[in-house]
Every structure is written in C-alpha cells, then in structure tokens.
Amino acid sequence: MIWRNEFNKTTVAGHDLFNSTSGEFIKSRYAGSQASLYTTAEDYARFMIALMKGEGLKESTVAEMLRSQINMKEENNFWGLGVGLEKSDKGLYFWQFGDYGLQKSFMIGSPDLHDGLVYFSNSYYGLCPSDEIIKIILGGEHPVFLNSIMGSYTGPIKKWVHLFCVKGVDEGIMAYNNEK
C-alpha cells in the first residue's frame, strides 16, 4: 500500500460497536481491489460527477459501467461494472458503498437527473442511516436498500443492536417493543 505521512492529517479514527475509539486511524497493510480505496469525500464526489456526466472516462467505459451486467435477486437491483445499479421511480441510479470496518462510505448518483450524494462516516454503524439520508436529500424510494447487501446495514436489527450497545438495554428493548 502506498501511504504518505501527510495523509495522516485527513484521516479520522473510527468508532466501534460500543461507540468507543482508539483515537487513531487504523490503516490496512495490504491492498485489495475489493476494499482498500483510501480517498476523500471531495475526490469521491468528483468521481461520481465524472461518471454522471461521462467526463474523463471513455464513452464505452461509462456505458458498460451503467449497463446491467448481473441481476440481483431483488427487483430493480443490478450490478454494472464497479457499481450497483437501481431502477427507481425517478430513473436509473448507480451506487457504491465502502465498509472499512470502523469507517463507512456511500455514494449514489443519477446520470439522468445529474444529482447524487456522497457521505463518509467514522462509525461501525455509519451505513445504518443511509436510507433515511438519501430519502431526505434525493427523495423517493430507492431499491438499493431492499437488496440483501445494503439491507443488512440499514435494517432494524442493526439499528436495534446500535441502541442496545450505545444507549443501553432499556432503550433497546423499548425500541424493539415499539416496532412489533
């Protein structure tokens, strides 16, 4: 992995299952194509905008990235090349998430509407509110949160675990009983 000391100025320490932190960013010693992208929210947003506009990439590359390559078992969810795809009531969106243990990221963008969002979190639970954040910012329903991958982050079980671990047993039980 290539790491320069100046990167240390822009990293954040993650918070674990119990909302505790070591106060230090833990970097991987090994590169892996599936999970070792270190970037900033600004650069991630630049990539998303380039993909939305088809700029900086070959036209054929963008077309393949945004073409359904593999169907997911859930309706209106597909895999393109390097990104997930969803067909929502507003049109086509591409999305991608990052899970680096105690840091999480999510991006979603529409090449048709030229809107989207990127967000980063320094929490084990960082993807839990992603469905609510996207409804507030982009509006509409997004099938990405119905698929088995993202549903494991945004579902009620993960949210209850968070309440139990961070807020305590009493608040976790109250939330559970209110959802029944």
Side-chain angles (χ1 to χ4, degrees):
M1 293 278 286
I2 297 172
W3 188 267
R4 290 182 279 198
N5 286 336
E6 66 253 26
F7 295 165
N8 293 332
K9 297 174 194 167
T10 59
T11 60
V12 294
H15 293 77
D16 67 15
L17 185 70
F18 298 99
N19 211 24
S20 299
T21 183
S22 68
E24 294 181 24
F25 176 74
I26 302 166
K27 55 187 177 284
S28 177
R29 297 183 323 176
Y30 306 101
S33 62
Q34 79 290 356
S36 62
L37 174 68
Y38 292 121
T39 190
T40 64
E42 184 177 358
D43 285 345
Y44 206 30
R46 282 187 182 123
F47 171 72
M48 181 186 71
I49 291 166
L51 187 53
M52 279 194 295
K53 292 182 173 182
E55 295 175 350
L57 300 165
K58 291 181 184 175
E59 190 176 319
S60 60
T61 301
V62 173
E64 287 301 304
M65 288 179 77
L66 300 180
R67 182 175 67 83
S68 173
Q69 307 283 338
I70 299 171
N71 293 332
M72 292 185 199
K73 66 181 180 180
E74 297 84 8
E75 188 176 344
N76 296 319
N77 281 278
F78 315 93
W79 284 114
L81 290 183
V83 292
L85 302 171
E86 68 162 29
K87 289 185 181 170
S88 77
D89 55 349
K90 295 173 120 187
L92 177 71
Y93 281 85
F94 61 86
W95 58 270
Q96 189 54 269
F97 74 98
D99 182 345
Y100 188 64
L102 303 183
Q103 285 87 11
K104 312 284 193 227
S105 63
F106 189 82
M107 78 158 178
I108 186 168
S110 169
D112 301 326
L113 301 173
H114 287 239
D115 68 354
L117 74 91
V118 167
Y119 85 88
F120 282 29
S121 169
N122 65 333
S123 170
Y124 173 82
Y125 299 102
L127 291 174
C128 289
S130 51
D131 53 342
E132 288 103 353
I133 291 170
I134 288 165
K135 282 181 188 174
I136 291 167
I137 303 295
L138 299 178
E141 295 296 320
H142 289 274
V144 61
F145 299 108
L146 301 176
N147 78 50
S148 55
I149 296 167
M150 290 307 297
S152 66
Y153 289 103
T154 60
I157 300 292
K158 188 87 167 207
K159 293 175 184 178
W160 290 328
V161 168
H162 177 255
L163 282 172
F164 277 99
C165 292
V166 175
K167 300 285 187 176
V169 174
D170 291 338
E171 197 161 326
I173 290 172
M174 283 184 355
Y176 176 80
N177 287 332
N178 287 337
E179 291 291 324
K180 283 179 157 188

PDB file of all heavy atoms in Angstrom, residues 12-14 22 24-28 38 100 102-103:
ATOM      1  N   VAL A  12      -9.580   9.960   9.978  1.00  0.00           N
ATOM      2  CA  VAL A  12     -10.349  10.031  11.225  1.00  0.00           C
ATOM      3  C   VAL A  12     -10.333   8.664  11.894  1.00  0.00           C
ATOM      4  O   VAL A  12     -10.259   7.637  11.236  1.00  0.00           O
ATOM      5  CB  VAL A  12     -11.820  10.457  10.981  1.00  0.00           C
ATOM      6  CG1 VAL A  12     -11.898  11.879  10.469  1.00  0.00           C
ATOM      7  CG2 VAL A  12     -12.525   9.510  10.042  1.00  0.00           C
ATOM      8  N   ALA A  13     -10.400   8.691  13.203  1.00  0.00           N
ATOM      9  CA  ALA A  13     -10.479   7.447  13.967  1.00  0.00           C
ATOM     10  C   ALA A  13     -11.913   6.950  13.922  1.00  0.00           C
ATOM     11  O   ALA A  13     -12.862   7.724  13.978  1.00  0.00           O
ATOM     12  CB  ALA A  13     -10.051   7.694  15.413  1.00  0.00           C
ATOM     13  N   GLY A  14     -12.075   5.646  13.799  1.00  0.00           N
ATOM     14  CA  GLY A  14     -13.406   5.056  13.772  1.00  0.00           C
ATOM     15  C   GLY A  14     -13.924   4.758  15.165  1.00  0.00           C
ATOM     16  O   GLY A  14     -13.165   4.698  16.137  1.00  0.00           O
ATOM     17  N   SER A  22     -10.130   4.192  19.527  1.00  0.00           N
ATOM     18  CA  SER A  22      -8.729   4.200  19.966  1.00  0.00           C
ATOM     19  C   SER A  22      -8.131   5.576  19.772  1.00  0.00           C
ATOM     20  O   SER A  22      -7.061   5.870  20.295  1.00  0.00           O
ATOM     21  CB  SER A  22      -7.924   3.178  19.157  1.00  0.00           C
ATOM     22  OG  SER A  22      -7.816   3.610  17.803  1.00  0.00           O
ATOM     23  N   GLU A  24      -7.092   6.591  16.910  1.00  0.00           N
ATOM     24  CA  GLU A  24      -6.164   6.504  15.788  1.00  0.00           C
ATOM     25  C   GLU A  24      -6.831   5.831  14.594  1.00  0.00           C
ATOM     26  O   GLU A  24      -7.638   4.926  14.754  1.00  0.00           O
ATOM     27  CB  GLU A  24      -4.933   5.678  16.173  1.00  0.00           C
ATOM     28  CG  GLU A  24      -4.083   6.316  17.240  1.00  0.00           C
ATOM     29  CD  GLU A  24      -2.858   5.475  17.568  1.00  0.00           C
ATOM     30  OE1 GLU A  24      -2.433   4.674  16.703  1.00  0.00           O
ATOM     31  OE2 GLU A  24      -2.348   5.614  18.681  1.00  0.00           O
ATOM     32  N   PHE A  25      -6.446   6.283  13.409  1.00  0.00           N
ATOM     33  CA  PHE A  25      -6.888   5.643  12.174  1.00  0.00           C
ATOM     34  C   PHE A  25      -6.071   4.370  11.992  1.00  0.00           C
ATOM     35  O   PHE A  25      -4.856   4.383  12.101  1.00  0.00           O
ATOM     36  CB  PHE A  25      -6.680   6.588  10.984  1.00  0.00           C
ATOM     37  CG  PHE A  25      -7.016   5.966   9.662  1.00  0.00           C
ATOM     38  CD1 PHE A  25      -8.339   5.768   9.295  1.00  0.00           C
ATOM     39  CD2 PHE A  25      -6.025   5.571   8.780  1.00  0.00           C
ATOM     40  CE1 PHE A  25      -8.660   5.202   8.080  1.00  0.00           C
ATOM     41  CE2 PHE A  25      -6.331   5.010   7.558  1.00  0.00           C
ATOM     42  CZ  PHE A  25      -7.658   4.826   7.210  1.00  0.00           C
ATOM     43  N   ILE A  26      -6.739   3.277  11.720  1.00  0.00           N
ATOM     44  CA  ILE A  26      -6.059   2.003  11.519  1.00  0.00           C
ATOM     45  C   ILE A  26      -6.026   1.727  10.026  1.00  0.00           C
ATOM     46  O   ILE A  26      -7.064   1.524   9.400  1.00  0.00           O
ATOM     47  CB  ILE A  26      -6.784   0.874  12.271  1.00  0.00           C
ATOM     48  CG1 ILE A  26      -6.855   1.210  13.750  1.00  0.00           C
ATOM     49  CG2 ILE A  26      -6.095  -0.457  12.027  1.00  0.00           C
ATOM     50  CD1 ILE A  26      -7.827   0.353  14.531  1.00  0.00           C
ATOM     51  N   LYS A  27      -4.833   1.746   9.456  1.00  0.00           N
ATOM     52  CA  LYS A  27      -4.730   1.522   8.012  1.00  0.00           C
ATOM     53  C   LYS A  27      -4.341   0.079   7.724  1.00  0.00           C
ATOM     54  O   LYS A  27      -3.651  -0.567   8.505  1.00  0.00           O
ATOM     55  CB  LYS A  27      -3.757   2.496   7.364  1.00  0.00           C
ATOM     56  CG  LYS A  27      -2.376   2.535   7.929  1.00  0.00           C
ATOM     57  CD  LYS A  27      -1.595   3.675   7.282  1.00  0.00           C
ATOM     58  CE  LYS A  27      -0.218   3.818   7.847  1.00  0.00           C
ATOM     59  NZ  LYS A  27      -0.111   4.429   9.127  1.00  0.00           N
ATOM     60  N   SER A  28      -4.817  -0.399   6.596  1.00  0.00           N
ATOM     61  CA  SER A  28      -4.524  -1.761   6.172  1.00  0.00           C
ATOM     62  C   SER A  28      -3.073  -1.866   5.717  1.00  0.00           C
ATOM     63  O   SER A  28      -2.505  -0.913   5.179  1.00  0.00           O
ATOM     64  CB  SER A  28      -5.444  -2.152   5.019  1.00  0.00           C
ATOM     65  OG  SER A  28      -5.120  -3.442   4.558  1.00  0.00           O
ATOM     66  N   TYR A  38      -8.535   4.334  -0.402  1.00  0.00           N
ATOM     67  CA  TYR A  38      -8.474   5.471   0.517  1.00  0.00           C
ATOM     68  C   TYR A  38      -8.709   6.710  -0.320  1.00  0.00           C
ATOM     69  O   TYR A  38      -8.004   6.954  -1.295  1.00  0.00           O
ATOM     70  CB  TYR A  38      -7.101   5.577   1.181  1.00  0.00           C
ATOM     71  CG  TYR A  38      -6.765   4.473   2.140  1.00  0.00           C
ATOM     72  CD1 TYR A  38      -5.659   3.666   1.936  1.00  0.00           C
ATOM     73  CD2 TYR A  38      -7.551   4.245   3.262  1.00  0.00           C
ATOM     74  CE1 TYR A  38      -5.337   2.661   2.828  1.00  0.00           C
ATOM     75  CE2 TYR A  38      -7.225   3.241   4.154  1.00  0.00           C
ATOM     76  CZ  TYR A  38      -6.119   2.448   3.940  1.00  0.00           C
ATOM     77  OH  TYR A  38      -5.799   1.467   4.820  1.00  0.00           O
ATOM     78  N   TYR A 100     -14.994  -0.252   5.637  1.00  0.00           N
ATOM     79  CA  TYR A 100     -13.634  -0.464   6.103  1.00  0.00           C
ATOM     80  C   TYR A 100     -13.635  -0.712   7.610  1.00  0.00           C
ATOM     81  O   TYR A 100     -12.827  -0.200   8.359  1.00  0.00           O
ATOM     82  CB  TYR A 100     -12.772   0.757   5.727  1.00  0.00           C
ATOM     83  CG  TYR A 100     -11.312   0.572   5.982  1.00  0.00           C
ATOM     84  CD1 TYR A 100     -10.577  -0.386   5.303  1.00  0.00           C
ATOM     85  CD2 TYR A 100     -10.654   1.352   6.923  1.00  0.00           C
ATOM     86  CE1 TYR A 100      -9.235  -0.563   5.548  1.00  0.00           C
ATOM     87  CE2 TYR A 100      -9.305   1.187   7.176  1.00  0.00           C
ATOM     88  CZ  TYR A 100      -8.604   0.226   6.488  1.00  0.00           C
ATOM     89  OH  TYR A 100      -7.277   0.043   6.734  1.00  0.00           O
ATOM     90  N   LEU A 102     -14.497   0.294  10.720  1.00  0.00           N
ATOM     91  CA  LEU A 102     -14.975   1.404  11.536  1.00  0.00           C
ATOM     92  C   LEU A 102     -15.203   2.676  10.726  1.00  0.00           C
ATOM     93  O   LEU A 102     -15.601   3.696  11.281  1.00  0.00           O
ATOM     94  CB  LEU A 102     -13.991   1.699  12.683  1.00  0.00           C
ATOM     95  CG  LEU A 102     -13.697   0.510  13.596  1.00  0.00           C
ATOM     96  CD1 LEU A 102     -12.774   0.930  14.727  1.00  0.00           C
ATOM     97  CD2 LEU A 102     -14.975  -0.104  14.144  1.00  0.00           C
ATOM     98  N   GLN A 103     -14.951   2.628   9.436  1.00  0.00           N
ATOM     99  CA  GLN A 103     -15.263   3.733   8.537  1.00  0.00           C
ATOM    100  C   GLN A 103     -16.165   3.191   7.428  1.00  0.00           C
ATOM    101  O   GLN A 103     -15.950   2.091   6.940  1.00  0.00           O
ATOM    102  CB  GLN A 103     -13.994   4.332   7.902  1.00  0.00           C
ATOM    103  CG  GLN A 103     -13.171   5.195   8.822  1.00  0.00           C
ATOM    104  CD  GLN A 103     -12.175   4.413   9.649  1.00  0.00           C
ATOM    105  OE1 GLN A 103     -11.936   3.241   9.415  1.00  0.00           O
ATOM    106  NE2 GLN A 103     -11.594   5.062  10.634  1.00  0.00           N
TER     107      GLN A 103
END
